[in-house]
């Protein structure tokens, strides 16, 4: 009896290829915004109406607590940020700030 290979190959490799194409399409469909080092993209507590794809550079997410601002995540190229509250509505849960010259696609 012959066995056949599954119709899909390694799902993780396939996802990486598919995600790359999706991120490229999202970036091309949106507006590209250039950020200088230290520039704020959005502020914690603001109404959310945009999501972003990091094209190049680094964007950090920081939240304000009792001890002041604290970085909770670092996003590099091909990262999607700000999408959750944009999709479900609400206010930004973190401030996004470029740590060096960066470009993001606004979607």
């Amino acid at each position: 009896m012959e066995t056949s290979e599954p119709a899909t190959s390694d799902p993780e490799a396939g996802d990486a290829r598919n995600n790359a194409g999706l991120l490229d399409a999202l970036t091309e469909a949106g507006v590209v915004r250039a950020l200088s080092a230290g520039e704020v993209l959005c502020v914690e507590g603001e109404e959310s109406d945009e999501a972003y794809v990091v094209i190049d550079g680094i964007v950090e997410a920081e939240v304000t607590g009792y001890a002041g601002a604290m970085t909770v995540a670092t996003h590099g190229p091909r990262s999607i940020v700000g999408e959750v509250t944009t999709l479900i509505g609400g206010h930004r849960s973190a401030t996004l700030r470029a740590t060096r010259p960066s470009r993001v696609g606004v979607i």
Side-chain angles (χ1 to χ4, degrees):
M1 176 185 255
E2 258 182 70
T3 60
S4 61
E5 293 295 315
T8 59
S9 58
D10 178 9
E12 289 182 12
D15 287 346
R17 286 189 300 272
N18 292 338
N19 289 343
L22 175 61
L23 291 177
D24 289 341
L26 288 172
T27 301
E28 289 172 12
V31 173
V32 175
R33 182 169 166 194
L35 303 167
S36 57
E39 187 172 348
V40 172
L41 185 56
C42 63
V43 177
E44 180 180 5
E46 286 182 336
E47 188 95 11
S48 177
D49 62 355
E50 296 175 333
Y52 311 97
V53 177
V54 180
I55 298 168
D56 54 47
I58 300 291
V59 175
E60 288 186 340
E62 55 186 48
V63 297
T64 304
Y66 294 112
M70 179 174 68
T71 299
V72 294
T74 300
H75 304 282
R78 308 193 83 69
S79 295
I80 298 176
V81 294
E83 75 284 4
V84 174
T85 53
T86 300
L87 293 172
I88 64 172
H91 296 89
R92 300 274 182 201
S93 59
T95 294
L96 298 176
R97 180 185 315 275
T99 60
R100 60 179 159 195
S102 303
R103 291 183 308 140
V104 297
V106 180
I107 52 176

